[in-house]
Amino acid sequence: MTSLSQDIKEKLSNLNVLEKIIAVNVVVFVVGLLFKRYLGWLELPSDLADFILKPWAIFSYAFLHYNFIHILFNMLWLYFIGRMFLNMFSPKMALNVYFLGAISGGLLFMLCYTLFPSVFGVNTHLVGASAAIRALLIFLCAYMPNQEVRFFTFNIKLWHIGLAIVVIDAIGVVAGLNDPLGNSGGNLAHLGGALLGYLYAKQLIKGTDIGKGFESSISSISSLFKASKKSPLKTVHKNKSKVGGYTKADFNEFNDQKKIDVILDKISKSGYDGLTAEEKEYLFRAGKK
């Protein structure tokens, strides 16, 4: 039993921050199968007055899934989007975007249901990580809109994907109003998360990290998802006279793709915060092309 627990701890320590969030979601889902009646206090209510009585729900709802298909697709999305995100940005920024996306989605959900009860209805609840995942996805789409990804047999730009996702969610809000089985509330949350991801990326391009204040306020939560310690041999220090570990003269000899690869390699070793101002500026310019 001791060896089994140690093996589990070792495997968990090797997960990145978003994979650990996936693990938490799976655990909560399993618990929900056994004790669903006791998990209602984790759901986010549509009424602001009810929310005041359980403010933690603005976070907890994003870890709650009752349907297997719901959690399956959400966690698959989170896994693949998370890998792309963490190849470029630090784990702290990933957590900032994720949790702020959940908060923004939840707030838009409650605001619309509270202000327009005759349109959206009353006494409903929100669950699921979709808003937080939308924030990560739209962040990437807004930060590097012209980056292409492979889709079956052709390439598609990220901004095309982001636009399609937002349009589908907007249609879902309207369609759900006339369908008893619709999901207007969930789609509202998606749009709230998407808006946060878009604004975060656009401000970051301008050099402002809007999640810094939030980051300090959830330091206790961040510690739960802290990545495993890196070997000292892999520590990368900033060198103001170099770009991506190369002299400026050597770096300028590279083609655009090689320059991007060099900077992304540095991010994979030391995180986004390990970049110099010049490296960040180059990455910003490349994302706009």
Side-chain angles (χ1 to χ4, degrees), residues 25 39-40 42-45 57 60-67 70 74 109 124-131 183 185-186 189-190:
N25 273 276
L39 295 184
L42 295 177
E43 301 173 358
L44 183 66
S60 62
Y61 86 90
F63 292 94
L64 195 59
H65 300 80
Y66 293 131
N67 182 281
H70 189 197
N74 268 355
F109 163 76
T124 188
H125 294 80
L126 181 67
V127 298
S130 302
N183 186 26
H190 296 173

Side-chain angles (χ1 to χ4, degrees), residues 113 116-121 169-185 187-188:
Y113 272 80
F116 310 107
S118 61
V119 176
F120 293 102
D169 286 335
I171 293 174
V173 171
V174 178
L177 297 177
N178 300 316
D179 184 356
L181 299 178
N183 186 26
S184 291
N187 284 291
L188 281 172

Side-chain angles (χ1 to χ4, degrees), residues 77 108 130-131 133-142 158-175 184 186-199:
W77 271 100
L108 183 60
S130 302
I133 297 169
R134 283 291 193 283
L136 291 171
L137 173 61
I138 300 303
F139 176 99
L140 292 174
C141 295
L158 281 179
W159 80 266
H160 292 151
I161 296 176
L163 178 61
I165 292 293
V166 170
V167 169
I168 290 172
D169 286 335
I171 293 174
V173 171
V174 178
S184 291
N187 284 291
L188 281 172
H190 296 173
L191 293 174
L195 178 61
L196 181 282
Y198 178 84
L199 293 177

Side-chain angles (χ1 to χ4, degrees), residues 9 30 99 148 165 179 200 278:
K9 288 181 179 179
V30 173
F99 284 113
E148 295 185 342
I165 292 293
D179 184 356
Y200 201 127
E278 185 173 354

Side-chain angles (χ1 to χ4, degrees), residues 263-279:
I263 295 176
L264 292 181
D265 182 61
K266 182 174 179 180
I267 292 175
S268 69
K269 294 177 181 178
S270 59
Y272 180 80
D273 292 337
L275 297 183
T276 64
E278 185 173 354
E279 290 162 350

